[in-house]
Amino acid sequence: MQDASLADPVEGHTSKAFDGALTQLRLHAVAMGGLVIDQVSTAVRALLDADANLAQTVLAREPQVNDMERTVDREAFELIALHQPVAGDLRMATAVSRITVELERAGDESKKIARFAGRMAGGEPQGPVRAVARYLQHMAELTTGMLRDAVRALDESNSELAERVRARDSELDAEFAAALRQLLTLAMQDQRYLGVTIDTVFALKGLERIGDHAKNIAEQVVFIASGRDMRHKKN
Amino acid sequence: MSANAASVEYAALRRGLSRRKLLDQVFVLVGLIVMIACLAILAILFIDLVRDGADRFTLDFFTNFASRHAERAGILAAWVGTSLIMLVTATCAVPVGVAAAIYLEEYAPKNWFTAIIEINVTNLAGVPSIVYGLLALGLFVYQFDLGQSIVAAGLTLALLILPIVIVATRESIRAVPKAIREAAYGLGATRWEVTKDHVLPYSTGGILTGMILGLSRAIGETAPIITIGALSFIAFLPQSPIQSEFPFISFHWLKDPFTAMPIQMFNWVSRPDQAFQANAAAAGAILLGMTLVMNALAIWIRYRFRKKINW
Amino acid sequence: MESAVANEDAARNAHNSAQQTGASTPRVSIAVDDTRKVRTLNVKAAVDNLSFYYGQHRALKNLTIPIAERQVTALIGPSGCGKSTFLRCFNRMHDLQPDTRYEGSITLHPDDLNLVGPGVDPIEVRMRIGMVFQKPNPFPKSIFENVAYGLRLRGTRNRATLAEEVEKALRGSALWDEVKDRLQDSALALSGGQMQRLCIARALATTPEILLFDEPTSALDPIATAKIEELISTLRDQVTVLIVTHNMQQAARVSDYTAFMYLGELIEFDEAAKIFTNPAKKATEDYITGRYG
């Protein structure tokens, strides 16, 4: 960036309507992020505590997430059509469109986890679930943390925070691999729990995917701040 | 290889260029010579007059009446007469001319009748001044019974300069941009309000310029005022417009007999006595000086108004 | 199923439904697609089958549009489509030219005056409808006198009243702070953008019911343009705005409703958000995306 700047820069855009629309868009995206974070942590709680009610809450709120995706995406779309943003503003609008997709998919994953939790609930924690409970707990913490940080990075336009989120993805992948090995061992030892094992694998996979979505969101935040496209890059 | 060909081309370019610039400079030179020639002629004329009339540039010259003795003859009656005539001319020509111009520019519909009026206005400018004199003699002096007076002379010259005033006013009215008029109409002004509040005030510079140019032409017109009977030997002044008793303003001077500067000059030049040549020369110089001053005034007014209003 | 105001018929239906409501102020319902609710607005001026003739040439053909109160309606279209011609019907500027003729009506509410009616005095129309022109055209007078002229025409003489109204108008056009110390200076000393805001103040001083803008920023630089666009946005709360612009992006930024015209006809009229995201007519889409011509 150059050193020189306009002699008399104004606070925000000359067009207050444009300013308002941009702020509104960011707020709504962050609100959607908050909702999805809530969904994820509630779904995980439902799984770990075998709580059928919590699982139901998640399932009931799922349509809200879908509605928000449509609304926020439409807002971004109209902002581009009506205000012709360029540079940072355009990156923001485009990135928010992509972020809503990631958030919606994360919401979908949390729905699947909640369903699994619902099926598990009511009985004793099954063997496979017990065996990887530690991994589930840890992965859940990691994933929810990543998602929270990614949304916070969006809210604050914090590029460094976003970069850190990206870095944590490998840790999540390692946890997943370890949990998978544990389950494999268990499945080979005792074939009675095969069904539950497969479901548990899907639950773990779901958490891993949510982490991926958080990483993608973080990449979009970096894009907004610096214009660098970090997708599919190692670092 | 190509470098050589290129440099040959460039040389040709330069040769052509120098020749064209030479022609350019030749033209500038020719223009300069012609202009200097004209100025020189004017200057020589003026200096000649001034030299010939050098003895006569005294205060007495301005305050004496005509006399049989050249040394005592002055232009008092003449310049007072000229001034009063110019007053009448301006008072008559300007309102009529400006009103005619406004009508033609703002109000007249574009039909055959308007076209006829416009043609006639242009024709007026081409009528020989002696014909104005004849017209004035028949109409003003005899028909209207105004006599051989200042008012007749003033009216005659007003007719003469009317086309100048009309054309100058029309030009400056036309210079007022359509956008200004639209803005005024857009606010709900009537046509008269647009004319009164905008077109006329912004045209004032042009109108004044036209008036002064017309007067500087009229000041030297001899033929019409001779025809209507300016006297050449007057030893009295018209009655003063300002009176010391009620009603303080008199219009009697309008009907008084008169003389004017050109007449006085003509009279002196025609005399066999050589001494009067000096008088004529002095009067001529003064008349020329008055014309130059009026033109300078017109230019200065145009400059001042152009600073305020620049379309 | 989307229901949208997509063409003249729908606009006419909207207008007719406006006529049929028993309320004293006609309203128009403009339905939009499924993600937004129907909005009902007051109509400030109802254009009904308006045609305009220059001599024998028919420049406008059966236009029917509702102009919503206190909203910004934009007219877009290629050169020669008649948008400026249409705009100038609202304040009868065509009457300054010989041999012009109107058919149909523009009904101004609330007193139902037909702006183009044969018995209606153009001067009266111009006193109720204000106009801002393409090239800023302040009078070569002082800033104060420029703004006060319209008031003087209406007979206001009291100096205190004039001063108060002039200040109000200059505040309304976001110019007061820049000129409050030099109201007696010549208006021609202002910059282009300031001159245009002065012209807006001049039009606002007489509290017009509709303010017409004829390509108001095409002679201005981008910063001045942005300021004027922002000003128009704020004026929306006080006065109904009708703006002609050949800059489509400006129409997208500034207007609530947009009408696309071509060869003297109305092709499409709808909310700006609809026109610029998903217009109903191919002709509109072609023009907006730049495939026209």
Side-chain angles (χ1 to χ4, degrees):
Chain A
M1 291 283 129
Q2 324 87 302
D3 298 303
S5 57
L6 288 180
D8 193 7
V10 288
E11 282 289 323
H13 296 82
T14 308
S15 166
K16 296 287 166 275
F18 186 18
D19 248 358
L22 278 170
T23 314
Q24 190 92 312
L25 185 67
R26 185 191 288 267
L27 278 174
H28 289 174
V30 168
M32 184 182 176
L35 179 60
V36 169
I37 290 171
D38 209 18
Q39 290 283 77
V40 168
S41 49
T42 310
V44 161
R45 191 82 272 130
L47 183 64
L48 291 174
D49 295 348
D51 188 334
N53 286 331
L54 281 181
Q56 194 52 39
T57 318
V58 173
L59 293 173
R61 268 205 308 222
E62 163 70 1
Q64 225 178 314
V65 174
N66 294 339
D67 276 344
M68 280 189 95
E69 185 198 11
R70 293 183 60 177
T71 320
V72 177
D73 193 52
R74 186 185 195 94
E75 262 182 50
F77 174 58
E78 273 184 16
L79 189 141
I80 295 176
L82 295 182
H83 295 286
Q84 305 100 40
V86 288
D89 298 334
L90 178 62
R91 294 200 301 270
M92 226 274 280
T94 322
V96 164
S97 274
R98 297 176 188 151
I99 287 174
T100 54
V101 172
E102 301 292 335
L103 284 173
E104 193 272 330
R105 290 199 187 136
D108 256 353
E109 296 298 334
S110 67
K111 182 182 75 180
K112 290 180 197 157
I113 294 174
R115 278 217 193 98
F116 176 49
R119 286 201 296 279
M120 288 294 104
E124 285 294 311
Q126 302 278 331
V129 179
R130 246 183 317 129
V132 294
R134 208 187 67 235
Y135 291 108
L136 271 174
Q137 176 87 4
H138 196 205
M139 279 182 77
E141 278 164 17
L142 259 177
T143 288
T144 341
M146 281 171 76
L147 197 54
R148 256 188 243 281
D149 283 346
V151 173
R152 207 179 90 200
L154 172 65
D155 194 15
E156 299 169 4
S157 262
N158 190 335
S159 203
E160 285 108 37
L161 185 58
E163 299 264 14
R164 289 204 294 275
V165 169
R166 283 189 77 233
R168 265 137 72 190
D169 193 46
S170 39
E171 192 187 332
L172 190 66
D173 289 345
E175 277 295 290
F176 176 64
L180 209 57
R181 280 198 297 276
Q182 184 91 335
L183 278 176
L184 225 62
T185 319
L186 198 68
M188 287 194 294
Q189 286 172 354
D190 192 341
Q191 290 181 357
R192 277 179 300 153
Y193 293 127
L194 200 55
V196 180
T197 307
I198 292 176
D199 278 343
T200 314
V201 168
F202 277 129
L204 288 167
K205 187 69 188 161
L207 285 174
E208 193 263 331
R209 280 224 187 92
I210 292 174
D212 267 347
H213 290 312
K215 181 194 75 166
N216 291 341
I217 292 172
E219 278 168 356
Q220 290 304 312
V221 173
V222 170
F223 177 60
I224 294 176
S226 67
R228 278 181 300 148
D229 192 351
M230 307 299 293
R231 291 177 291 181
H232 317 299
K233 280 208 171 119
K234 287 293 178 276
N235 200 9
Chain B
M1 212 54 199
S2 63
N4 276 344
S7 61
V8 166
E9 264 180 44
Y10 295 147
L13 200 70
R14 279 188 211 109
R15 270 200 306 279
L17 200 61
S18 342
R19 194 172 22 150
R20 287 155 62 202
K21 282 171 78 170
L22 184 65
L23 278 175
D24 200 24
Q25 283 160 345
V26 163
F27 182 73
V28 170
L29 205 63
V30 167
L32 218 58
I33 290 173
V34 169
M35 186 184 80
I36 289 176
C38 294
L39 287 177
I41 291 170
L42 185 64
I44 290 170
L45 199 67
F46 193 52
I47 291 169
D48 198 47
L49 283 174
V50 168
R51 259 194 320 171
D52 286 346
D55 300 329
R56 302 286 184 263
F57 288 116
T58 62
L59 191 61
D60 288 342
F61 192 58
F62 288 92
T63 55
N64 283 352
F65 285 109
S67 155
R68 276 170 301 133
H69 303 286
E71 302 76 31
R72 290 209 291 270
I75 54 169
L76 177 64
W79 71 258
V80 166
T82 292
S83 306
L84 290 173
I85 294 174
M86 288 301 114
L87 185 64
V88 175
T89 305
T91 317
C92 296
V94 172
V96 174
V98 170
I102 291 176
Y103 171 75
L104 286 171
E105 280 299 314
E106 299 284 321
Y107 289 80
K110 299 249 175 301
N111 57 18
W112 57 271
F113 184 62
T114 309
I116 288 181
I117 295 180
E118 290 190 340
I119 292 173
N120 279 316
V121 167
T122 328
N123 281 339
L124 273 180
V127 171
S129 51
I130 186 87
V131 173
Y132 278 109
L134 290 177
L135 165 75
L137 190 65
L139 192 65
F140 298 135
V141 175
Y142 292 122
Q143 190 76 18
F144 292 169
D145 199 26
L146 296 173
Q148 295 169 325
S149 58
I150 288 177
V151 66
L155 286 172
T156 315
L157 292 177
L159 271 183
L160 195 95
I161 69 165
L162 198 61
I164 299 176
V165 174
I166 291 179
V167 168
T169 309
R170 284 189 82 177
E171 286 303 308
S172 46
I173 287 178
R174 257 185 228 149
V176 177
K178 188 166 157 225
I180 298 286
R181 285 174 228 257
E182 280 196 328
Y185 280 120
L187 288 167
T190 60
R191 188 150 48 171
W192 171 239
E193 281 165 340
V194 172
T195 307
K196 163 176 80 86
D197 294 330
H198 299 287
V199 176
L200 272 184
Y202 308 148
S203 311
T204 308
I207 295 174
L208 279 177
T209 307
M211 177 180 92
I212 290 173
L213 287 176
L215 288 179
S216 73
R217 160 113 188 258
I219 211 173
E221 281 293 337
T222 322
I225 49 181
I226 282 185
T227 317
I228 66 168
L231 306 173
S232 47
F233 191 93
I234 288 195
F236 55 87
L237 285 178
Q239 197 176 70
S240 169
I242 318 276
Q243 302 286 312
S244 52
E245 44 192 42
F246 192 82
F248 300 113
I249 302 266
S250 152
F251 290 108
H252 195 262
W253 54 276
L254 286 170
K255 289 287 214 89
D256 285 343
F258 68 99
T259 189
M261 291 284 284
I263 310 294
Q264 192 65 72
M265 279 174 63
F266 184 57
N267 174 266
W268 281 336
V269 157
S270 335
R271 294 216 185 178
D273 188 348
Q274 274 304 103
F276 280 103
Q277 300 302 314
N279 293 45
I286 290 170
L287 190 61
L288 195 57
M290 283 168 83
T291 311
L292 287 174
V293 163
M294 289 176 88
N295 278 307
L297 187 67
I299 293 173
W300 181 79
I301 287 180
R302 196 163 50 220
Y303 165 71
R304 281 301 308 272
F305 273 86
R306 189 148 294 173
K307 274 203 330 183
K308 267 193 345 182
I309 297 179
N310 204 350
W311 301 125
Chain C
M1 179 82 101
E2 287 189 355
S3 62
V5 175
N7 52 29
E8 300 173 24
D9 294 324
R12 207 170 281 134
N13 287 339
H15 174 74
N16 289 338
S17 76
Q19 300 282 42
Q20 280 151 18
T21 50
S24 55
T25 314
R27 306 174 135 250
V28 62
S29 302
I30 301 190
V32 295
D33 75 69
D34 48 295
T35 66
R36 287 196 299 269
K37 304 190 247 326
V38 170
R39 294 175 61 192
T40 327
L41 302 144
N42 288 337
V43 171
K44 183 64 190 172
V47 181
D48 192 17
N49 270 313
L50 179 71
S51 290
F52 176 74
Y53 295 81
Y54 282 121
Q56 291 296 76
H57 170 63
R58 191 176 188 190
L60 297 176
K61 301 172 185 154
N62 292 106
L63 300 177
T64 300
I65 297 185
I67 306 293
E69 190 174 16
R70 283 197 254 270
Q71 300 282 287
V72 178
T73 304
L75 303 173
I76 61 172
S79 294
C81 67
K83 50 192 196 287
S84 278
T85 310
F86 179 39
L87 191 79
R88 282 167 177 247
C89 289
F90 280 81
N91 67 349
R92 301 284 288 266
M93 286 305 263
H94 294 300
D95 289 43
L96 299 174
Q97 252 73 256
D99 205 14
T100 56
R101 189 161 59 91
Y102 305 92
E103 276 177 10
S105 66
I106 302 179
T107 311
L108 187 71
H109 298 297
D111 60 326
D112 290 354
L113 177 72
N114 179 5
L115 294 177
V116 298
V120 173
D121 186 2
I123 308 269
E124 183 193 339
V125 170
R126 292 184 204 128
M127 291 181 100
R128 293 173 67 175
I129 314 278
M131 189 169 209
V132 175
F133 299 84
Q134 182 171 347
K135 195 158 171 292
N137 55 2
F139 302 129
K141 295 178 193 272
S142 70
I143 293 172
F144 184 88
E145 281 305 319
N146 261 278
V147 183
Y149 184 65
L151 295 163
R152 287 193 196 277
L153 280 180
R154 282 154 181 72
T156 311
R157 296 262 173 269
N158 181 300
R159 213 172 301 175
T161 317
L162 283 175
E164 198 183 301
E165 293 293 320
V166 165
E167 178 177 340
K168 197 167 97 178
L170 285 169
R171 280 191 195 278
S173 74
L175 192 59
W176 175 250
D177 289 325
E178 292 169 52
V179 301
K180 62 180 181 231
D181 300 322
R182 46 183 178 129
L183 289 174
Q184 299 307 323
D185 285 359
S186 167
L188 300 180
L190 298 172
S191 73
Q194 287 173 322
M195 273 201 238
Q196 192 65 306
R197 276 181 281 153
L198 179 64
C199 293
I200 295 175
R202 182 175 65 185
L204 282 177
T206 56
T207 48
E209 298 177 44
I210 301 181
L211 196 48
L212 307 171
F213 286 87
D214 193 354
E215 303 197 25
T217 60
S218 44
L220 301 176
D221 67 87
I223 294 182
T225 298
K227 286 193 180 151
I228 302 258
E229 285 179 8
E230 177 63 8
L231 177 61
I232 291 177
S233 271
T234 59
L235 283 178
R236 183 203 320 254
D237 301 322
Q238 306 165 43
V239 72
T240 304
V241 172
L242 188 55
I243 174 171
V244 161
T245 177
H246 63 238
N247 180 344
M248 283 175 289
Q249 287 74 31
Q250 179 171 87
R253 288 190 293 264
V254 141
S255 69
D256 300 304
Y257 297 94
T258 306
F260 171 56
M261 288 178 66
Y262 182 62
L263 291 180
E265 291 186 5
L266 175 70
I267 306 294
E268 190 170 344
F269 171 75
D270 207 333
E271 285 199 1
K274 178 75 168 46
I275 295 258
F276 288 101
T277 55
N278 188 16
K281 290 272 176 91
K282 182 168 186 305
T284 316
E285 170 118 10
D286 285 346
Y287 177 67
I288 288 176
T289 55
R291 287 187 175 77
Y292 168 80

